[in-house]
Amino acid sequence: MKDLIDLIHIITKPKLREVELMNDSRPGTSKLQDFYTHIAEGQFQDDDTAASRLYGASKDAPVYQKLRKNLKDRLVNSLFLIDLKQASYTNRQKAFYECYKEWAAAKILFGKNARNAAVGIARKLLKISRKYEFTELNVDICHTLRLYHGTMDGDYAKYQQYHQELMTYEKLWILENKAEHYYIELSIGFVNSRAPKADIQAKAQEYYAEIEPTLKTYNSYQLHLCAHLVEAAIYSSINDYPSLIDVCDRAIAFFEQKEYTAAIPLQVFYYQKAICHVQLREFDLAKQATEECLKYSDNGNFNWFKTYELNFMLHMHEGNYLQSQAILYMVMQHQQFADLPENIQGIWKISEAYLHFLVQIKALDTAESGISKKRKFRLNKFFNELQVFYMDKQGMNIHLIFLEILFNIANHQYDELIDRVEALDKYRMRYLQDGVVLRCNYFLKMLLQIPKSSFRKADILQKAAPDFQALMALPIEMANQTFEIEVLPYEKLWEYALNCLE
C-alpha cells in the first residue's frame, strides 16, 4: 500500500482532473475512483483493509489485485502528463524532472527509429544537463549520441566530440560513485541506531584522504556533496563541533556559488550546523541555521521533518516546552507523517512521551496551548510501538528505559520500579560503560538510587552525589554522544524526578 500512498501524494485529484485519467466511464472506473479517494483521505493504510472494504475479500483476491494494478498503472502513467515544475521547486529540481521526462521520450523515439526527433531532443537536453551537473544523464546522452554519430550518421567529428565528452563524464561518474559509496558506508549503521560507532573516524579519514585530491580538479555537485559529508563524518564521529562547523561553512560557501540553487546540499550542511550549535548550547545560532535549512525544504518532505525534529530538541533544551509541543503536534498531524520510516516516526513518539511526562509532573501546562486533547497518549501502547529501538542498546532504547523509570516515579508506581532495579543495573553495566555513553550511565545510576534508597530524598541525594558530580563535570558539549540521545538535559530530568518524590 505504501507505493500507492506515495504516488497519490504526488498525483493529487486536481492533477488527475487535468489529465482526465479518472473522468471516463469505462467499466470499473467508479470502483477505481473510490479506491483512489479512500487512500487519498487516509481511510486505507494497508491492502488488507482496502480489499476487505471494497470486496469483502483478502488482499490476495484476484479482483483486488487487478484493481490495485490498474490504479498503480494509471498513476505511474500520469506522471508523464502532469506538470512537475511546481513553483516551490528550485531551478535545478525543475530541470531534473524535465530532463528525465524528455530523456524518456527520446529513448522511446530512438527505439521506434524516429532518430532525427530523438537526436534533437538529446542535444537540447545535454546542454541543460551539463549546466545542472547531472553527470549520470550526461553519460547516458553522450553514449547514445556517440553510438548514433558513429554507426548511423557517419559524422566522425561529432563521434569524436561525444566520445571525448563521454570519457570525461564516465571518469567523473566513477569518482562520484566512489564518494557516494564511502558516504553510505559511514552512514548505514545509523539508520536504525543512534549508538556511537567507534571506528567511524578512522574510516572517514581514510576515505576522505582518497577523495580530497579530486576536489581540486572537479567542481562536481555530487562529488563535493559526498566528499564534504565524508569529511564531516571525521568530526561528527567524535563530536568535534567547532571543526564540523568549519566543514559546513566551507561546503555552504561552495554550493552558494553555483549558478543554480543547490537546495539539498544547503539543507544538509545548515542542518549539520544547527546540530553543532545545539550541542554547544548556542541556541540563537542554532535557530538561525534551522531557519536557513527550512528555506530549502519542501513542506512535508523527509528533510522538513528532520529539521523540525532538531527544532523540537532546540526548544526542549531551552526550556520552551510550549513551543516544542506546538512543533510536535504540527508534525505528527501532518498528512505525510504516517509515510515516514518507522525509525523516524519512533523518534517523534519518544519526544511526545517526554512531553507527556512534563504534563504529568505539571512542568508543562497544556491548557495554555489549547492542543492538549488532539492526541491521546497511552504509555503501554507507546512501548509496544517502538520495537524497532529495542536492539539499539546504546542508542534510542535508552530513552525507553529512562521514560519507564520517570513515569514509574511520577505515578508513584514504586513496586514496579523496585522489581526492575536488578535488571536495569545489569543493562547499565553491560551497555553503558563505554565512554561515548557516559552521561547515560551516570544518569541511570542516579535514577536507580531512588528505589535503592527506598525513595527517601535525603538518602538519594547523598548516594547519588558522586554520579551527579560526574555528570556535571561532563556537560553535553563535551560528551561524545549523538544529539538525539538527550531530548531533555539529564540535569533537568534529575531535578524533575526528585520533585516527584516531594
Side-chain angles (χ1 to χ4, degrees):
M1 182 61 74
K2 287 186 177 180
D3 54 345
L4 294 178
I5 292 171
D6 285 345
L7 286 165
I8 287 171
H9 280 156
I10 297 169
I11 305 159
T12 58
K13 280 187 177 179
K15 290 177 180 176
L16 281 176
R17 283 194 292 270
E18 285 176 22
V19 298
E20 297 184 351
L21 285 177
M22 303 290 274
N23 293 338
D24 58 47
S25 57
R26 285 177 288 174
T29 301
S30 177
K31 186 71 76 174
L32 200 69
Q33 290 172 337
D34 289 343
F35 191 23
Y36 175 94
T37 301
H38 287 311
I39 296 174
E41 293 176 355
Q43 297 177 38
F44 292 166
Q45 292 293 326
D46 56 72
D47 287 302
D48 289 315
T49 303
S52 177
R53 288 272 299 276
L54 291 170
Y55 294 107
S58 74
K59 66 180 180 181
D60 298 320
V63 65
Y64 174 72
Q65 286 297 319
K66 182 178 179 181
L67 180 73
R68 192 187 195 289
K69 182 181 184 302
N70 194 359
L71 177 59
K72 185 173 181 179
D73 288 347
R74 289 195 180 205
L75 292 172
V76 171
N77 289 337
S78 72
L79 281 170
F80 295 95
L81 300 174
I82 62 174
D83 182 12
L84 290 170
K85 296 185 288 185
Q86 295 182 15
S88 61
Y89 291 160
T90 66
N91 46 11
R92 191 176 193 270
Q93 287 172 316
K94 292 175 183 177
F96 178 86
Y97 296 128
E98 193 65 24
C99 280
Y100 274 94
K101 183 177 172 181
E102 293 272 328
W103 185 234
K107 296 289 277 187
I108 291 170
L109 289 170
F110 273 118
K112 293 290 186 181
N113 293 320
R115 297 188 185 96
N116 290 327
V119 167
I121 294 173
R123 288 174 180 165
K124 180 193 75 172
L125 287 181
L126 187 56
K127 292 179 182 178
I128 301 170
S129 187
R130 289 187 194 117
K131 175 181 177 180
Y132 290 103
E133 301 181 273
F134 302 142
T135 307
E136 184 177 1
L137 185 57
N138 290 342
V139 169
D140 204 5
I141 295 173
C142 288
H143 172 267
T144 301
L145 289 174
R146 182 186 69 170
L147 180 66
Y148 170 76
H149 289 295
T151 63
M152 298 174 192
D153 182 43
D155 189 324
Y156 187 78
K158 288 182 179 177
Y159 159 76
Q160 279 289 88
Q161 173 193 337
Y162 291 116
H163 173 71
Q164 292 301 322
E165 200 166 350
L166 175 61
M167 295 299 101
T168 300
Y169 285 127
E170 275 188 335
K171 185 176 180 181
L172 175 57
W173 191 48
I174 289 169
L175 290 172
E176 289 178 353
N177 274 284
K178 179 186 285 188
E180 184 180 272
H181 166 66
Y182 288 162
Y183 167 62
I184 294 169
E185 282 284 311
L186 296 171
S187 304
I188 195 167
F190 291 97
V191 173
N192 287 322
S193 171
R194 294 301 182 271
K197 308 293 187 293
D199 60 340
I200 290 295
Q201 185 188 28
K203 275 188 180 179
Q205 287 173 326
E206 177 187 343
Y207 292 160
Y208 185 69
E210 186 176 344
I211 301 168
E212 194 269 340
T214 66
L215 302 181
K216 297 172 184 176
T217 305
Y218 298 98
N219 283 324
S220 155
Y221 169 104
Q222 187 69 8
L223 179 63
H224 278 260
L225 170 59
C226 294
H228 282 300
L229 288 170
V230 170
E231 184 186 12
I234 297 172
Y235 305 107
S236 63
S237 61
I238 58 170
N239 294 332
D240 180 354
Y241 302 117
S243 297
L244 184 51
I245 289 172
D246 178 63
V247 174
C248 293
D249 284 337
R250 285 188 282 109
I252 289 167
F254 173 84
F255 285 105
E256 283 183 338
Q257 289 176 359
K258 292 289 183 184
E259 58 180 304
Y260 53 79
T261 304
I264 291 175
L266 291 171
Q267 284 177 29
V268 167
F269 292 108
Y270 274 119
Y271 178 78
Q272 286 283 350
K273 273 192 74 172
I275 291 174
C276 294
H277 290 307
V278 169
Q279 295 294 82
L280 292 171
R281 329 310 288 156
E282 298 168 348
F283 296 125
D284 288 340
L285 292 174
K287 288 175 186 174
Q288 291 174 23
T290 56
E291 286 169 6
E292 289 296 321
C293 188
L294 286 169
K295 288 179 183 177
Y296 302 103
S297 302
D298 291 334
N299 187 307
N301 72 9
F302 183 83
N303 290 336
W304 182 88
F305 282 106
K306 290 299 291 181
T307 304
Y308 272 109
E309 182 185 312
L310 184 58
N311 232 340
F312 173 90
M313 187 89 67
L314 163 63
H315 289 292
M316 289 290 277
H317 280 244
E318 269 194 315
N320 189 354
Y321 303 144
L322 277 174
Q323 184 61 35
S324 293
Q325 187 187 48
I327 290 171
L328 182 130
Y329 280 96
M330 175 189 71
V331 165
M332 296 189 79
Q333 291 178 350
H334 197 285
Q335 63 178 355
Q336 288 173 259
F337 179 79
D339 302 328
L340 288 172
E342 185 181 358
N343 61 315
I344 303 300
Q345 289 188 47
I347 292 171
W348 282 104
K349 289 174 182 178
I350 284 171
S351 299
E352 182 182 28
Y354 277 105
L355 282 179
H356 279 276
F357 170 71
L358 295 175
V359 171
Q360 182 83 6
I361 64 172
K362 296 182 171 54
L364 170 61
D365 184 357
T366 57
E368 289 184 45
S369 65
I371 55 178
S372 58
K373 296 181 180 179
K374 287 188 178 180
R375 280 181 60 88
K376 292 182 179 179
F377 179 78
R378 297 181 180 88
L379 193 60
N380 289 336
K381 182 182 178 184
F382 161 74
F383 286 116
N384 290 334
E385 286 179 342
L386 294 181
Q387 299 289 331
V388 69
F389 290 135
Y390 282 143
M391 298 306 294
D392 189 16
K393 300 300 186 184
Q394 286 190 310
M396 300 305 286
N397 188 52
I398 295 170
H399 288 295
L400 306 184
I401 291 172
F402 289 159
L403 285 163
E404 179 186 13
I405 296 172
L406 291 168
F407 274 105
N408 282 158
I409 295 169
N411 294 321
H412 304 292
Q413 295 168 327
Y414 295 154
D415 289 343
E416 292 183 25
L417 184 52
I418 290 169
D419 291 342
R420 293 276 286 142
V421 168
E422 185 177 350
L424 292 173
D425 227 355
K426 287 180 180 178
Y427 177 97
R428 181 188 63 77
M429 289 186 286
R430 182 173 181 181
Y431 297 110
L432 303 186
Q433 296 297 307
D434 197 310
V436 295
V437 283
L438 273 181
R439 278 180 62 85
C440 302
N441 179 48
Y442 296 142
F443 184 51
L444 183 53
K445 285 179 71 177
M446 290 157 58
L447 288 175
L448 292 179
Q449 285 299 341
I450 294 175
K452 286 180 179 180
S453 301
S454 302
F455 305 94
R456 291 192 292 267
K457 191 171 181 180
D459 292 344
I460 295 165
L461 288 170
Q462 180 182 356
K463 292 180 181 178
D467 293 307
F468 180 73
Q469 292 302 322
L471 183 73
M472 296 294 288
L474 185 66
I476 292 175
E477 57 267 32
M478 294 175 60
N480 188 18
Q481 62 184 31
T482 58
F483 82 95
E484 298 101 330
I485 213 69
E486 210 161 326
V487 174
L488 268 169
Y490 294 148
E491 294 86 349
K492 197 68 182 175
L493 283 174
W494 180 240
E495 176 189 328
Y496 289 146
L498 292 176
N499 288 343
C500 291
L501 299 174
E502 296 173 346

